[in-house]
Amino acid sequence: MNSASKNCVDDLDISNFEIKILTEEYVEQVAMALAVVFALEEPLAIGTKTSVEAYYPYALGYIERCAKAKLSHIAVEKSTNKAVGFHLCFDSDGWVEPPSDDEGILLHLRFLDDLHAKYEEEQQKLHFGKSSTTTSHNVKKIYKICSAGTYKEYRRLGLAKQMFQEAVKLAKEKGYEQIMVECTGYASQRLYEKLGFRELTRLYYENYEIVDTVNQNGTSVERKRKPFVTIPKDIADSTNLMVMDI
């Protein structure tokens, strides 16, 4: 960003923006915002060195699904109609990841699946021996925060807080009882803890190992690796699963 553009951003305050429901009109803009923010700053993407170019096709399918659901919010600059922030949400039971052939993104999705599997396993152990009628009463309608972010130059204006507040309001209107989020770094974990979320489970990058096979001269060879140990320790050491009752 040149100095003139930076000065223009510095002159802005929250009154220069509108929080809107994500619609099809903004799909490409928000897909690019998601790709840029996550490829450059999200710990899992940093760990796998996933580029903006690799992230964008996946992000496009992701945003298209969120736009159809009408459960997500964006921050739009009034003067330019530019989407500068996003708070992407979906019904937890209805979310299906869009397809991707990028190895880094597939690793991200596998890791998050294993995080949820860890939680489910812990819950099964916790409720072992209890009747099905006892545990069935604990099932809640969950509003899932899939991704949230703002372009770096538009931060500290209160946009993220306002998008979150609108999301909580919408979730209550739609009859949701709980909000869920996966936090992949220290910053997001601290933020959602301050907002009233509590941790359900956590998966450490240092301990996460996957086993797959690679082809070597026509032979399948087992490979063990820890794909996220390269994440800088000063930004993250784990992902946690958090919820807040509403």
Side-chain angles (χ1 to χ4, degrees), residues 18-145:
E18 182 179 1
I19 306 303
K20 297 182 175 183
I21 292 288
L22 170 64
T23 61
E24 285 78 2
E25 175 188 355
Y26 293 97
V27 163
E28 292 185 2
Q29 281 196 56
V30 179
M32 181 54 69
L34 175 63
V36 169
V37 172
F38 271 51
L40 299 181
E41 300 181 47
E42 197 277 323
L44 297 183
I46 291 173
T48 56
K49 296 181 172 62
T50 304
S51 67
V52 174
E53 292 76 17
Y55 214 104
Y56 180 76
Y58 166 76
L60 191 59
Y62 191 112
I63 304 304
E64 287 173 345
R65 295 185 184 197
C66 288
K68 290 178 181 177
K70 302 266 191 304
L71 292 174
S72 301
H73 292 84
I74 55 174
V76 178
E77 187 175 16
K78 294 176 182 178
S79 63
T80 63
N81 200 38
K82 176 183 178 181
V84 303
F86 52 87
H87 195 273
L88 307 174
C89 302
F90 213 88
D91 184 280
S92 180
D93 289 335
W95 177 252
V96 178
E97 292 288 347
S100 175
D101 57 6
D102 180 80
E103 183 182 11
I105 292 172
L106 293 176
L107 284 170
H108 305 168
L109 300 180
R110 180 172 178 175
F111 178 82
L112 294 175
D113 282 345
D114 288 342
L115 174 71
H116 284 267
K118 180 174 182 286
Y119 171 66
E120 292 299 329
E121 182 180 349
E122 291 168 349
Q123 288 300 295
Q124 288 177 5
K125 290 179 180 178
L126 181 65
H127 295 291
F128 181 74
K130 295 182 179 180
S131 68
S132 59
T133 56
T134 300
T135 57
S136 65
H137 291 161
N138 296 325
V139 176
K140 295 182 177 181
K141 187 177 180 183
I142 300 174
Y143 180 87
K144 181 181 178 181
I145 301 173

